[in-house]
Amino acid sequence: MSTEEQIAQFRESYAALRAEVGKVIVGHEAIVDGTLTALMAGGHVLLEGVPGLGKTLLVRTLGEVLDLSFSRIQFTPDLMPADIVGTNLVMETPEGRRVFEFQRGPVFAHLVLADEINRATPKTQSALLEAMQEHSVTAGGEMRRLEEPFFVLATQNPIDQEGTYPLPEAQLDRFFFKLLVGYPSADELTEVLNRTTETARAQVNRVLSRERMISLQQLVRQVPVASHVKDYAVRLVLATHPKTTTAAPIASQFLRFGSSPRGAQTLILAGKVRALAQGRFNVSFDDLRSAALPALRHRLILNFEAEAEGVTTDHIVEQILKDVPKDAEALEAQSA
Amino acid sequence: MSDLQLIESTVDRAAQRRRWQRAWRGLWRGLLAAALVWLAALGAYKALPLPVTVLPAAAVAAGIVVLLSVLFHAWRRDTRLATARWIDHRQALKERLSTALELGRDAASGPWHALLVQDAARQLGRFDLRTLLPYRLPRASRWALLVLALGATLGFVPEYRSKAFLQKERDKEVIRETGRQLADLTRRSLEHRKPALENTREAIKSVGELGTDMMKNPLTRAEALKDLAKITDKVQQDARELTKSPALKAMERAARSSSANSPADADELKKQIDALQQSLGNKDARADALDKLQRDLQKAQQAAANLMNKDAQGVDAAKDSLAKTLSSLAKQSQEMGAALPALEEAIAALEAGKIDQLMKDLQIAEKDLERMREMAQALQQLQQQAEKLGKDLAEQLKNGQVEAAQTTLDKMVKQLQAANLTPEQLQKIMNDVAKATEQAGPYGKVGDLLKQAVSQLGKSDKPGAAKSLAEASKELENLMQQMADAQDLKASLDALKRAQFCVGNGMGWCNSPGPPRGGKGGKPGKGVGTWADDNNWMDPPENELWDNSGVERPDTDPRGHTDRGDGNVPEGLVPTKVKGRMSPGGQMPSITLKGVSIKGQSTVSFQETATAAQSEAQSAQSHDQVPRAYQGAVKDYFDDVKK
């Protein structure tokens, strides 16, 4: 299959996925797009919102649409790491002997829904660290690979709610996107009522196999990126590093830590997915800008001043997008 | 042409067009900056007392600004990639062009580079370079034109200059012109004759240097006057020192009494007299007699003219009468030695009845007579000069005729050196020299040298005497040089005074009257007696053109009775208690002073005394030591003394 055909297939698959999810999820286009972008780029997604906004439904629907194994972990304060990754159990063989046998946890699936992830203790939350980054699990001194593709789609309630534990920075950084799920509009809510309070229930089809998913992920990584576009991604990330020469003024004022290199990787990969989804063969500045908020908002650590003044990371990222010129050289040429 | 080449060519054209656009924008921006520079300079020139050179300087600066602006804007050349990015930005091409240009030739991109290039090439049709980069007047052009229009309007506004500034400018110009004239005069003077004395040379040179300084760095009027006064005092002092010598005084007197072009040598004078006498026929043809003869001839001419209007009988009688008159005139002229052949021809024409010829001959005769009369007058003058010229060395020295004396001495030296000198001639020389020793007193060493020569002649030491006389001649030559130096100093002094007049009164060199030039040789002009008011020319002429606006005279500012102070009255103007009425032109009040009567015989001639008194009176007047009301009377008095 030629590259052009692969690209066309990508667009078709993306559109099909979106259409199928749209059958269940009302509104939340940005959330759906963000989730699909992360899936195509091979990244994990953290969905944050108050309960009842359809976060779990979205992930469950994705599990149904994708021809992938799906497991759900409901994070609770008493959840233990072994409950996620699995544990060695003493099993009696038919011969009557007792042997240790590894019992795989729910993380051994293609698509893992970590529901209300911040209700578990940090210790339990950290059980996903290796799985998310290395796509492997080490238990009982033995490392076990997770089958590709592996996605973690986590949901969490806002951290200021009762009985929640904030996710550690290391884990947050492993999420490709953090998507904020907002309230639906009136029309969307009406549609939600129509779909959920009547007898008719939307049927979704599996539109993407595991192999196709892997090939599409590989295609995404082939999309070329011009040097000045990469340079923009770098400048955006560097602008979040407080107290440096490249820092944006707002970053120096309100941030304790800036984005890790994973932020820049996320921007570029998300840009590639967006370019392909829009039928382009190159990544543009706008692709990076559109991915900046979900890619960077959870990677910035606010300082006390920001907390005190109620400044959010979204506000800082937006300001950085304004401060950092898209193409310094071109703008300079234009001004001359 | 491949897609990539098409993209590259389009981007190149866009880059070129952008460069021209930048130059165009730079031109207008430069023009705006230049117009602002010009406007600022013009405004400053109109409002402030700046020199007019500010305007050409500003124009040059404005031109440079325009040029630099165009060069600055057109200098930078955009790279192809930068231009592609710019087009991407302007046309919202989502970085298609720039990515295609960067990665279009990148083999590592695999099949993607072809896709990128095709996609970018498709986008080229979306825009037109002329629309994207149109040539239009930039915003700066409007401002530039507005500022230029303001500048043009400002050009019609007259510049503001205070009266004081204008006066200063005029003063500066006058000082510069005066300095130039002073320097020129000094230069010409030095070129014409190099002063013999070092002091004189330095003094004249310092005058030239002052003129050059004034020309190059025109000072304020007060400073210039101060400098001029300083130099004037110095030159005056030098001149005074130089003219202290009695010999020079005598020489000056002689020079004043003799004409400038009179020959110093008696022989030369005699030759001229002989030549004139020969021309006049060696007869004593006096000018007044010739004048009478000319008048008679004119009467005869009138009578000849009347012949044409008379009848036949009257004509005969008139002819007879005219013939007699003409014969008488011819006889008189012959007796006076003034041969008039035209008169004889006129008589012949009268006898032949040719009246026209008669008239012509009479006219020729009158012209001849006129020429002879002029020659007679010149002869008379030369004879008068010859009478004044000293006949021997003693008289020449006495009269201050140094040049003639020098010539006489040189002749004596030649005679003494000659082998065939008779004892009588030797005795005559000795007598002449001995006689001259008395008169040579004021001439410094000359007297001693002449005495030495007499002594040597008495001992028949002809070579020694010749040497002494030659030295005396040389000494006289030195004195003449000193005299010339003194005249040069006098000329410099006159120039300095004229410069002071020009600077002090704010008048140009040509407009100043200068010292009086009454007669030949710089003699005083018309006036009472033999001297005129040499300083009168320094008073500015009073006419309507005189403008002293802007002249600062704080001393004339109105003041109350209490703040006048003690005043600063010059010594010469300290009032003395004199009874009577002071009114110019009226009766001069006088007092009688009893002085000490010194009896005896004066060794100084009256002429010298009168001259010295006159000089002192003149000096006192020029130094304001004589009240103005008395100046006329004092002048009249000393004129009478001279008589």
Side-chain angles (χ1 to χ4, degrees):
Chain A
M1 190 184 292
S2 68
T3 309
E4 212 163 353
E5 288 168 344
Q6 282 181 313
I7 293 165
Q9 203 175 52
F10 180 94
R11 293 184 64 188
E12 287 169 13
S13 303
Y14 189 91
L17 274 174
R18 212 179 175 310
E20 288 302 314
V21 172
K23 287 179 183 173
V24 178
I25 303 298
V26 180
H28 294 311
E29 282 84 5
I31 303 299
V32 174
D33 277 338
T35 309
L36 291 179
T37 301
L39 290 180
M40 293 297 180
H44 315 290
V45 179
L46 175 64
L47 294 162
E48 182 178 292
V50 293
L53 292 181
K55 300 186 292 292
T56 310
L57 179 64
L58 169 64
V59 179
R60 214 179 58 221
T61 309
L62 271 176
E64 292 172 12
V65 171
L66 297 170
D67 190 13
L68 301 172
S69 59
F70 174 77
S71 67
R72 171 180 175 161
I73 307 166
Q74 183 64 46
F75 279 63
T76 56
D78 58 349
L79 188 73
M80 297 304 287
D83 298 335
I84 297 170
V85 297
T87 184
N88 286 321
L89 296 176
V90 179
M91 301 291 287
E92 195 170 338
T93 60
E95 293 82 27
R97 288 177 58 197
R98 289 182 178 178
V99 291
F100 279 103
E101 187 178 326
F102 182 72
Q103 189 67 39
R104 299 207 289 187
V107 77
F108 285 88
H110 292 124
L111 192 61
V112 176
L113 168 60
D115 205 8
E116 294 185 284
I117 191 171
N118 59 340
R119 289 198 179 279
T121 59
K123 177 184 174 184
T124 310
Q125 290 169 2
S126 301
L128 283 173
L129 284 177
E130 185 186 358
M132 288 173 77
Q133 181 61 32
E134 312 294 336
H135 290 203
S136 64
V137 168
T138 304
E142 189 178 348
M143 190 183 77
R144 293 175 176 79
R145 298 287 310 172
L146 299 173
E147 194 176 355
E148 293 294 338
F150 174 73
F151 302 113
V152 174
L153 300 174
T155 67
Q156 72 168 5
N157 301 125
I159 55 169
D160 51 349
Q161 288 203 345
E162 287 294 324
T164 59
Y165 298 93
L167 291 176
E169 286 84 0
Q171 180 144 11
L172 276 174
D173 197 32
R174 282 168 168 76
F175 283 105
F176 189 85
F177 273 175
K178 177 183 177 182
L179 302 170
L180 301 180
V181 184
Y183 291 106
S185 64
D187 291 341
E188 289 169 350
L189 188 55
T190 307
E191 184 62 24
V192 168
L193 291 177
N194 290 339
R195 291 189 188 182
T196 56
T197 57
E198 293 172 7
T199 52
R201 185 171 173 78
Q203 291 295 320
V204 292
N205 303 312
R206 292 183 183 275
V207 293
L208 202 61
S209 66
R210 172 181 168 267
E211 291 74 22
R212 282 279 300 283
M213 177 58 101
I214 289 172
S215 71
L216 292 181
Q217 282 181 346
Q218 287 169 349
L219 181 70
V220 165
R221 290 184 178 263
Q222 291 174 19
V223 176
V225 184
S227 58
H228 56 285
V229 179
K230 281 182 195 165
D231 177 60
Y232 182 53
V234 170
R235 282 187 286 117
L236 280 178
V237 170
L238 290 180
T240 65
H241 295 171
K243 308 284 190 291
T244 60
T245 53
T246 55
I250 195 168
S252 295
Q253 188 181 358
F254 292 120
L255 290 184
R256 194 147 53 91
F257 299 109
S259 167
S260 70
R262 286 196 184 100
Q265 293 167 352
T266 305
L267 287 175
I268 293 294
L269 283 171
K272 289 182 174 186
V273 174
R274 189 168 182 264
L276 282 178
Q278 291 185 355
R280 279 182 284 114
F281 311 111
N282 66 295
V283 181
S284 70
F285 293 125
D286 288 343
D287 296 332
L288 304 189
R289 291 171 68 83
S290 67
L293 265 175
L296 297 178
R297 61 162 63 110
H298 56 293
R299 292 187 164 93
L300 308 183
I301 311 300
L302 296 172
N303 60 15
F304 176 76
E305 188 181 351
E307 300 281 1
E309 292 188 13
V311 176
T312 63
T313 52
D314 280 12
H315 175 242
I316 292 170
V317 173
E318 282 167 1
Q319 189 59 42
I320 286 172
L321 285 174
K322 285 179 191 168
D323 289 349
V324 178
K326 282 196 289 191
D327 187 346
E329 197 177 344
L331 287 175
E332 188 187 338
Q334 185 187 9
S335 65
Chain B
M1 186 183 280
S2 68
D3 285 345
L4 189 59
Q5 285 171 334
L6 183 67
I7 293 168
E8 286 174 347
S9 130
T10 305
V11 172
D12 286 346
R13 276 191 288 119
Q16 188 68 20
R17 205 172 168 89
R18 289 193 71 217
R19 197 176 179 201
W20 280 112
Q21 264 196 345
R22 275 202 300 272
W24 177 244
R25 256 198 321 270
L27 174 71
W28 283 103
R29 284 179 186 175
L31 203 59
L32 175 61
L36 285 171
V37 167
W38 172 252
L39 189 66
L42 190 61
Y45 174 72
K46 294 283 180 182
L48 302 173
L50 297 174
V52 74
T53 48
V54 164
L55 295 181
V60 170
I64 291 171
V65 164
V66 173
L67 194 65
L68 285 179
S69 176
V70 172
L71 286 176
F72 175 76
H73 283 83
W75 189 265
R76 195 166 58 80
R77 189 178 290 188
D78 286 339
T79 60
R80 189 180 281 169
L81 203 56
T83 308
R85 291 182 199 175
W86 180 81
I87 296 172
D88 279 339
H89 176 78
R90 290 294 299 269
Q91 292 296 303
L93 295 181
K94 304 272 183 190
E95 285 63 57
R96 283 184 171 94
L97 273 184
S98 53
T99 308
L101 274 178
E102 184 181 343
L103 304 173
R105 296 187 191 278
D106 186 10
S109 303
W112 287 87
H113 73 268
L115 294 173
L116 286 170
V117 170
Q118 283 169 15
D119 188 30
R122 274 199 297 274
Q123 301 299 323
L124 289 181
R126 280 178 52 190
F127 64 89
D128 178 26
L129 277 183
R130 289 180 185 173
T131 317
L132 181 63
L133 294 162
Y135 282 116
R136 61 168 71 121
L137 287 175
R139 194 183 302 171
S141 65
R142 275 172 266 166
W143 289 104
L145 291 173
L146 180 68
V147 175
L148 280 174
L150 272 175
T153 310
L154 193 60
F156 291 101
V157 177
E159 55 265 22
Y160 169 75
R161 295 288 183 272
S162 66
K163 284 183 178 176
F165 175 78
L166 290 174
Q167 183 60 40
K168 267 184 191 172
E169 287 296 302
R170 276 198 295 270
D171 285 352
K172 213 175 259 186
E173 191 53 42
V174 165
I175 289 167
R176 190 179 285 122
E177 165 69 11
T178 306
R180 194 172 63 76
Q181 294 288 355
L182 258 186
D184 281 356
L185 279 175
T186 310
R187 183 176 50 76
R188 279 202 293 270
S189 168
L190 287 172
E191 280 172 4
H192 179 253
R193 181 186 166 276
K194 197 174 179 182
L197 297 175
E198 183 66 24
N199 280 350
T200 310
R201 197 159 47 239
E202 289 298 321
I204 292 176
K205 209 189 263 182
S206 66
V207 173
E209 284 168 1
L210 174 67
T212 310
D213 281 351
M214 284 167 66
M215 181 173 61
K216 287 181 179 170
N217 305 308
L219 310 161
T220 61
R221 183 198 285 193
E223 287 170 339
L225 282 174
K226 192 177 164 190
D227 289 352
L228 280 169
K230 206 171 159 186
I231 295 287
T232 306
D233 282 350
K234 187 174 177 296
V235 173
Q236 214 162 16
Q237 184 66 27
D238 288 349
R240 209 171 287 154
E241 291 291 327
L242 202 62
T243 51
K244 262 182 184 174
S245 162
L248 287 186
K249 281 186 181 173
M251 286 164 71
E252 188 184 4
R253 200 168 54 245
R256 231 186 283 156
S257 61
S258 64
S259 63
N261 56 356
S262 62
D265 192 355
D267 290 347
E268 182 69 23
L269 205 60
K270 191 154 188 326
K271 274 181 196 169
Q272 286 185 15
I273 290 169
D274 291 346
L276 277 174
Q277 275 179 341
Q278 201 173 355
S279 302
L280 286 170
N282 293 324
K283 294 286 178 75
D284 188 15
R286 291 185 58 186
D288 48 354
L290 285 171
D291 197 25
K292 185 176 175 298
L293 198 61
Q294 192 181 6
R295 280 200 298 274
D296 292 344
L297 191 59
Q298 283 170 351
K299 282 179 187 169
Q301 267 183 309
Q302 186 66 37
N306 290 336
L307 281 178
M308 296 178 188
N309 304 328
K310 293 189 175 176
D311 53 6
Q313 194 177 354
V315 166
D316 290 341
K319 272 185 181 177
D320 290 342
S321 170
L322 186 58
K324 282 177 187 171
T325 306
L326 290 177
S327 300
S328 167
L329 284 174
K331 193 180 175 186
Q332 283 177 26
S333 65
Q334 277 177 352
E335 283 171 359
M336 289 165 71
L340 294 172
L343 206 56
E344 300 294 338
E345 288 172 9
I347 294 169
L350 182 65
E351 285 172 0
K354 296 176 181 174
I355 303 300
D356 290 342
Q357 186 62 38
L358 170 68
M359 291 297 290
K360 284 179 186 171
D361 290 340
L362 284 178
Q363 280 175 359
I364 293 168
E366 192 195 357
K367 280 181 185 170
D368 289 345
L369 203 55
E370 171 68 22
R371 199 175 64 248
M372 288 171 72
R373 194 178 64 85
E374 284 173 358
M375 287 166 69
Q377 274 182 346
L379 179 64
Q380 208 169 343
Q381 282 177 358
L382 284 175
Q383 282 169 341
Q384 284 173 357
Q385 282 177 17
E387 283 169 12
K388 282 183 187 174
L389 199 64
K391 290 179 183 61
D392 56 7
L393 185 61
E395 278 189 20
Q396 286 163 350
L397 289 174
K398 186 185 172 188
N399 294 340
Q401 294 159 346
V402 179
E403 207 173 342
Q406 195 190 1
T407 313
T408 307
L409 280 173
D410 289 343
K411 275 182 192 169
M412 287 177 177
V413 170
K414 278 181 187 170
Q415 283 177 340
L416 286 171
Q417 286 170 346
N420 54 353
L421 184 70
T422 60
E424 290 76 21
Q425 284 176 324
L426 184 65
Q427 186 60 40
K428 187 177 180 302
I429 290 171
M430 192 170 73
N431 290 341
D432 283 350
V433 174
K435 193 179 166 189
T437 49
E438 291 173 10
Q439 304 299 332
Y443 293 93
K445 289 180 184 173
V446 177
D448 295 341
L449 289 167
L450 289 183
K451 281 176 188 168
Q452 192 179 338
V454 171
S455 166
Q456 286 163 336
L457 285 171
K459 294 172 189 171
S460 297
D461 180 9
K462 286 193 284 182
K467 191 182 172 190
S468 297
L469 289 178
E471 283 177 6
S473 171
K474 198 176 176 186
E475 187 63 26
L476 284 177
E477 170 69 26
N478 288 341
L479 283 173
M480 283 201 322
Q481 289 290 340
Q482 285 183 25
M483 177 69 187
D485 280 6
Q487 281 171 350
D488 286 348
L489 280 178
K490 176 80 168 49
S492 292
L493 210 55
D494 286 344
L496 282 167
K497 282 181 179 175
R498 192 171 178 179
Q500 279 179 324
F501 172 82
C502 292
V503 174
N505 296 301
M507 293 176 75
W509 191 270
C510 297
N511 295 333
S512 69
R517 302 285 178 197
K520 291 178 179 179
K523 278 186 175 178
K526 291 175 183 176
V528 181
T530 56
W531 61 281
D533 183 3
D534 283 350
N535 293 320
N536 191 35
W537 62 275
M538 293 183 75
D539 295 328
E542 291 176 6
N543 54 38
E544 289 181 357
L545 296 175
W546 177 251
D547 178 19
N548 61 354
S549 59
V551 175
E552 290 177 12
R553 291 287 305 276
D555 55 318
T556 59
D557 287 346
R559 281 175 294 180
H561 289 293
T562 54
D563 57 356
R564 284 179 185 273
D566 295 333
N568 185 18
V569 184
E571 268 186 35
L573 293 179
V574 173
T576 52
K577 213 169 186 179
V578 178
K579 287 182 181 178
R581 189 165 54 88
M582 184 188 292
S583 58
Q587 189 180 3
M588 180 179 168
S590 63
I591 53 172
T592 307
L593 295 172
K594 286 185 179 178
V596 182
S597 174
I598 303 170
K599 290 183 179 175
Q601 195 170 1
S602 172
T603 54
V604 184
S605 67
F606 171 74
Q607 191 72 16
E608 279 184 32
T609 310
T611 308
Q614 169 199 339
S615 173
E616 281 181 18
Q618 190 178 354
S619 170
Q621 286 208 359
S622 64
H623 287 84
D624 282 341
Q625 289 172 347
V626 179
R628 191 171 289 276
Y630 294 150
Q631 283 181 359
V634 170
K635 185 178 164 189
D636 290 341
Y637 173 76
F638 281 97
D639 282 343
D640 290 338
V641 168
K642 187 77 187 288
K643 282 175 185 173

